[in-house]
Amino acid sequence: MHVIQGKGLHFKDLNAQIRAALADGQKEITLKDVNGQYYIGDGLREKATINIEGVPGNDMAAFMDGPTLVINGNAQDNIANTMNSGKIIIHGNAGDVLGYGMRGGKLHILGDVGYRVGIHMKGLNKQIPCIIAGGNAGDFFGEYLAGGVLILLGLDAKEGESIVGDYIATGMHGGRIFIRGEIEQKYCGKEVGIFETDEDDMKTLKRYLTEYCADFKLDLDEVLSKKFSKLVPVSSRPYGQLYAY
Amino acid sequence: MFKSLAPPDYLATIDTDKCIRCKRCIRNCGWDVYSWGGDRVQINTSKCVKCLRCYHYCPVEAIEILNNRTKFKDNAYWSFHQIRNIKKQAETGGMPLSGMGSDLPYPILFDHLLLDACQVTNPSIDPLREPMELRTYLGKKPSSLNFVKDGKGGMKLKGPLPPQIKIDLPVIFSPMSFGSISLNAQKVLAMAATNAGTVMNTGEGGLHEDIYPYRKNVIVQVASGRFGVNADYLNAGVAVEIKIGQGAKPGIGGYLPGEKIPKQVADARMIPIGTDALSPAPQHDIYSIEDLRQLIYAIKEATNYKPVSVKIASVHNVAAIASGIVRAGADIVYLDGFRGGTGAAPSIIRDHLGIPIEHAIAAVDDRLRQEGIRNEASVIAAGGIRSSADAVKAIALGADAVALGTAALVTMGCTVCGKCYTGNCSWGITSQRPELTARLNPEIFAERLTNLLRAWEHEIKEILGSLGVNAIESLRGNRERLRGVGLDDQTLDILGVKPAGR
């Protein structure tokens, strides 16, 4: 295992060291004492695992295409911007605008996430991005969603507590959102409908959540013990009537 | 369903005495204006947009597209379009869309600016016999240069220069996505850019594999929809452009109608077939200059520090915004004036928001100079560049280069009919219908577009020769060589040019 000491390093130097280690063929890298450095993992293509100790800064894993990042704590904003493949496991909370325009790979967060999570994610054939958050989420969850799978669990929510903010899935025109428990239509964009999960959905959920629970050593049966609400678009052209030709 | 009370703009007419019933007009029209009536061509003129495809393909000149004389009564205030839009809106409840740049008669400042020339006391230069330099480097320029001895008795630069895009003339192509224009149209741009030593821009719709071979002459774009963006894409071209706004529709997002999203386009964008492709109005990770800096450096980190361009629409406060963009670390600031083209924009936005490019160039160049950061980024001016004269005037006002969109499309057959959003372009430029796009032969039209650039190159050199300078660099931001005619004092002051006669 290759260790990089992050203390006091400028992001440019830290990322250069990571790139050099990967070019060197390292498959397992640990970053120690990371303290808010931006852009960790951006654009990296190698199949390798990078363990991060400390708190990585904004824009982690932007355009990332391959590696696995494991964050042993909290993470900040703009993670997995337009990420293409690979995996991120966050053993804590994460901030706003996670997975913006994400096109593939997995983002697993144990705790809460902020506003505008999973906006404008896409999907094609087998390239289906997936974000799973174990806690609660803020407003605009899944805004403009065009593909992929978004799962929100609210595992520590109290009875009757809403686990997601307002304006859920506004402008959604593709993909699927699963929210554990019930949600009200009034908090959702008018472009989506709330449905009960069917057999195919449960198969999908089980597949994704098995991996998620393994990452965080959670009990799958416990997670699946509650009903999920499914959100899908009710129109493929939500704004088709807006214009006069 | 009653007949629309919005009368057609045009009357398509066929002289039945001349018509030889060859049916070419029926085959060529993408709008289904013509159909076969058994013994003659029938005409549904309400669908005609005057793109003139039928006229050009009629072998006997039997077709004439007339302006509809049975329009509403002439009225200098209540124009035909004002009344017709109200009727359309009353019938549909929708916002009328437009393609191309605004066609309203706002003042055109380029047409009120004249260039200087040499006479007697300062010699002009004959560009046919003397070298004339149009080569331009886009990117950050260092504020100072340091040299070290190279050990062979000479000197060399200490440390690397910031990355530059080398172009052979100060004209590039503006971003037009695969989706808004056809793949063949993108090929024309890519081939012509390669032939002429300049660059095209993918727009926000991904980089099709057929464009990859031209990647040394391609700028890739990242916009709010993030369509087609991955690490390969970012590293494919010579630079990456972040699109914040577009001159034709400042402050609103992109809208590619479902009609223009067949499988190929849907796959490139990774969205469902036939949905409307939406690029959100803001980029939701950018609400400040600091946020913009974050994306600029995320891209630089992901591309090993390729140059990053930031494209904005020219709006009232454009100078301060451009200053922020430069300070955020951009290598290029791309200004798109309010006349700039579009594939689809609500007419109300296109025709009433933003400021002309001429004002924007002057304001931005002034501001960056005052702040001592003009060298930190190149400025590209776009939005209604119609001729090499417009290009030269824009450069004299302070731009490093200009970008062409509409002018490039015109070489492919475009007649600026403005119906790009329908997906029915009979010239195969802004359509995705295979029977229409097949009409645009990339090789033939790449040659025409290259010809346009060659012609402009000659013209620019002639103008420089008349000015007595032998490099475009000597004219850049040199407003002393411009004079205004018919402009008021305040406009002259903003443009930083003297009135003619002074």
Side-chain angles (χ1 to χ4, degrees):
Chain A
M1 190 179 68
H2 185 80
V3 176
I4 296 171
Q5 179 54 250
K7 196 170 185 176
L9 272 189
H10 188 269
F11 71 76
K12 215 171 157 177
D13 302 321
L14 177 61
N15 290 327
Q17 284 194 28
I18 298 170
R19 277 195 291 270
L22 291 170
D24 211 29
Q26 298 290 345
K27 294 285 170 224
E28 182 93 20
I29 299 170
T30 295
L31 312 182
K32 285 202 187 288
D33 294 320
V34 170
N35 190 12
Q37 282 97 340
Y38 282 15
Y39 317 122
I40 293 172
D42 284 17
L44 295 185
R45 318 289 299 273
E46 291 80 0
K47 293 265 178 279
T49 302
I50 302 173
N51 297 295
I52 300 172
E53 293 176 9
V55 179
N58 289 356
D59 253 316
M60 179 175 66
F63 316 110
M64 191 173 84
D65 196 7
T68 298
L69 304 185
V70 182
I71 294 91
N72 296 302
N74 295 328
Q76 302 202 339
D77 297 336
N78 276 47
I79 298 164
N81 174 2
T82 326
M83 172 171 151
N84 205 48
S85 74
K87 187 174 174 184
I88 305 169
I89 303 165
I90 299 170
H91 290 267
N93 300 325
D96 299 334
V97 199
L98 310 180
Y100 183 172
M102 193 169 156
R103 317 156 37 97
K106 289 175 181 150
L107 172 55
H108 290 179
I109 304 120
L110 177 63
D112 296 335
V113 293
Y115 294 97
R116 288 205 152 93
V117 168
I119 64 173
H120 225 312
M121 288 203 324
K122 304 163 172 51
L124 176 69
N125 303 333
K126 285 188 175 164
Q127 198 165 349
I128 307 290
C130 174
I131 301 179
I132 308 175
N136 296 359
D139 294 345
F140 298 103
F141 189 67
E143 193 182 23
Y144 315 103
L145 199 76
V149 177
L150 263 179
I151 305 172
L152 185 67
L153 300 176
L155 292 175
D156 294 327
K158 293 182 197 74
E159 196 54 46
E161 180 190 345
S162 171
I163 65 167
V164 58
D166 213 343
Y167 308 105
I168 306 161
T170 45
M172 176 172 175
H173 51 289
R176 281 185 283 181
I177 299 178
F178 297 104
I179 294 176
R180 192 163 168 268
E182 307 228 316
I183 48 168
E184 288 181 62
Q185 180 76 46
K186 67 177 178 183
Y187 297 118
C188 299
K190 55 186 182 305
E191 302 82 7
V192 287
I194 304 169
F195 300 90
E196 289 198 358
T197 51
D198 59 26
E199 206 176 315
D200 178 58
D201 296 328
M202 289 317 292
K203 252 167 64 187
T204 306
L205 270 171
K206 196 166 177 187
R207 184 161 49 85
Y208 281 114
L209 288 172
T210 303
E211 187 180 333
Y212 178 84
C213 289
D215 285 341
F216 297 115
K217 302 195 170 46
L218 297 170
D219 180 1
L220 178 66
D221 293 336
E222 167 71 28
V223 171
L224 286 174
S225 65
K226 211 166 167 181
K227 261 193 166 177
F228 280 80
S229 310
K230 174 172 78 165
L231 274 71
V232 287
V234 286
S235 155
S236 68
R237 298 190 65 180
Y239 303 110
Q241 300 302 313
L242 256 183
Y243 303 102
Y245 279 60
Chain B
M1 192 62 198
F2 58 90
K3 188 180 162 195
S4 171
L5 296 178
D9 274 40
Y10 311 109
L11 296 179
T13 61
I14 295 181
D15 184 333
T16 46
D17 290 341
K18 286 187 188 168
C19 176
I20 56 169
R21 275 68 171 165
C22 69
K23 302 181 191 168
R24 281 196 179 89
C25 51
I26 301 174
R27 285 197 300 276
N28 271 285
C29 181
W31 276 272
D32 295 330
V33 171
Y34 305 107
S35 57
W36 185 240
D39 61 340
R40 68 167 80 183
V41 175
Q42 288 183 328
I43 303 171
N44 179 355
T45 203
S46 67
K47 294 182 171 179
C48 180
V49 302
K50 201 173 183 178
C51 76
L52 299 183
R53 178 83 190 183
C54 56
Y55 167 78
H56 286 290
Y57 281 79
C58 175
V60 291
E61 298 265 341
I63 292 176
E64 201 174 358
I65 310 294
L66 305 169
N67 286 335
N68 185 4
R69 279 173 304 200
T70 321
K71 285 182 177 177
F72 310 113
K73 177 181 171 297
D74 284 342
N75 184 321
Y77 192 70
W78 286 93
S79 70
F80 169 71
H81 285 104
Q82 300 280 14
I83 301 176
R84 198 191 50 174
N85 276 351
I86 290 175
K87 291 196 181 287
K88 250 193 194 179
Q89 290 175 312
E91 288 169 15
T92 65
M95 294 185 274
L97 284 174
S98 290
M100 313 309 286
S102 179
D103 55 359
L104 293 189
Y106 290 102
I108 304 167
L109 290 193
F110 281 134
D111 296 345
H112 290 269
L113 290 170
L114 290 171
L115 285 150
D116 194 14
C118 297
Q119 293 295 296
V120 186
T121 54
N122 45 356
S124 47
I125 299 172
D126 181 350
L128 298 179
R129 273 156 281 270
E130 290 188 49
M132 193 63 81
E133 183 73 62
L134 297 191
R135 179 159 294 163
T136 297
Y137 291 89
L138 302 175
K140 252 178 227 309
K141 308 295 184 292
S143 43
S144 66
L145 292 173
N146 294 310
F147 295 90
V148 289
K149 289 186 174 151
D150 66 358
K152 288 178 257 170
M155 305 288 276
K156 65 172 184 183
L157 266 180
K158 185 183 173 194
L161 283 174
Q164 306 288 323
I165 307 169
K166 185 174 102 173
I167 50 177
D168 289 341
L169 74 169
V171 179
I172 65 172
F173 299 132
S174 60
M176 288 178 277
S177 70
F178 172 44
S180 77
I181 60 171
S182 64
L183 183 58
N184 278 347
Q186 271 207 341
K187 281 186 198 167
V188 172
L189 295 168
M191 288 175 179
T194 305
N195 292 343
T198 184
V199 288
M200 62 89 77
N201 185 316
T202 58
E204 192 201 17
L207 181 63
H208 194 277
E209 58 187 359
D210 290 0
I211 309 293
Y212 253 90
Y214 307 98
R215 51 188 284 190
K216 297 271 177 257
N217 297 82
V218 171
I219 293 176
V220 297
Q221 196 183 63
V222 173
S224 62
R226 296 287 197 276
F227 296 121
V229 179
N230 60 21
D232 269 341
Y233 172 82
L234 292 176
N235 283 289
V238 291
V240 181
E241 179 167 277
I242 299 170
K243 178 191 177 184
I244 300 293
Q246 186 173 337
K249 41 183 172 179
I252 75 165
Y255 172 74
L256 186 65
E259 285 86 0
K260 290 174 78 169
I261 318 248
K263 186 172 185 318
Q264 252 198 332
V265 176
D267 285 359
R269 296 181 180 230
M270 293 179 75
I271 57 170
I273 295 166
T275 61
D276 300 322
L278 304 169
S279 299
Q283 306 218 12
H284 281 299
D285 52 349
I286 303 177
Y287 289 180
S288 67
I289 293 294
E290 291 76 10
D291 289 350
L292 175 65
R293 182 181 181 82
Q294 205 171 295
L295 184 61
I296 289 173
Y297 277 88
I299 289 170
K300 290 189 175 198
E301 279 288 328
T303 59
N304 201 13
Y305 288 77
K306 274 190 196 290
V308 173
S309 164
V310 175
K311 176 180 176 181
I312 53 165
S314 303
V315 290
H316 299 183
N317 205 16
V318 65
I321 297 161
S323 163
I325 290 170
V326 174
R327 290 170 190 282
D331 301 84
I332 297 167
V333 181
Y334 184 123
L335 304 172
D336 197 13
F338 109 105
R339 291 274 185 190
T342 175
S347 312
I348 208 78
I349 298 286
R350 184 195 73 165
D351 292 338
H352 300 283
L353 273 65
I355 65 170
I357 190 61
E358 300 92 322
H359 292 90
I361 302 166
V364 168
D365 185 61
D366 278 348
R367 182 68 171 257
L368 298 183
R369 281 172 193 275
Q370 283 159 13
E371 296 186 3
I373 54 173
R374 181 64 185 83
N375 63 300
E376 293 290 326
S378 294
V379 173
I380 293 173
I385 303 292
R386 303 158 297 174
S387 68
S388 62
D390 289 352
V392 170
K393 289 171 189 176
I395 289 168
L397 281 172
D400 287 274
V402 297
L404 308 182
T406 304
L409 300 187
V410 169
T411 68
M412 302 180 207
C414 170
T415 56
V416 200
C417 80
K419 298 289 177 184
C420 323
Y421 55 92
T422 61
N424 295 330
C425 176
S426 299
W427 298 90
I429 304 166
T430 61
S431 176
Q432 299 300 334
R433 287 165 52 188
E435 74 277 17
L436 299 179
T437 60
R439 295 171 178 182
L440 190 66
N441 181 312
E443 278 79 17
I444 291 173
F445 286 98
E447 198 179 317
R448 292 195 181 183
L449 181 51
T450 310
N451 283 343
L452 177 80
L453 293 181
R454 297 261 180 269
W456 283 28
E457 191 178 328
H458 291 310
E459 288 179 336
I460 295 171
K461 286 179 175 177
E462 290 287 354
I463 293 171
L464 291 182
S466 305
L467 287 159
V469 298
N470 61 8
I472 192 76
E473 197 58 40
S474 306
L475 187 64
R476 210 159 262 141
N478 191 347
R479 302 186 205 169
E480 180 54 29
R481 308 307 296 273
L482 286 171
R483 289 292 185 273
V485 282
L487 294 176
D488 59 69
D489 286 354
Q490 200 161 25
T491 307
L492 288 168
D493 181 48
I494 291 164
L495 294 177
V497 300
K498 293 175 186 160
R502 283 276 162 77

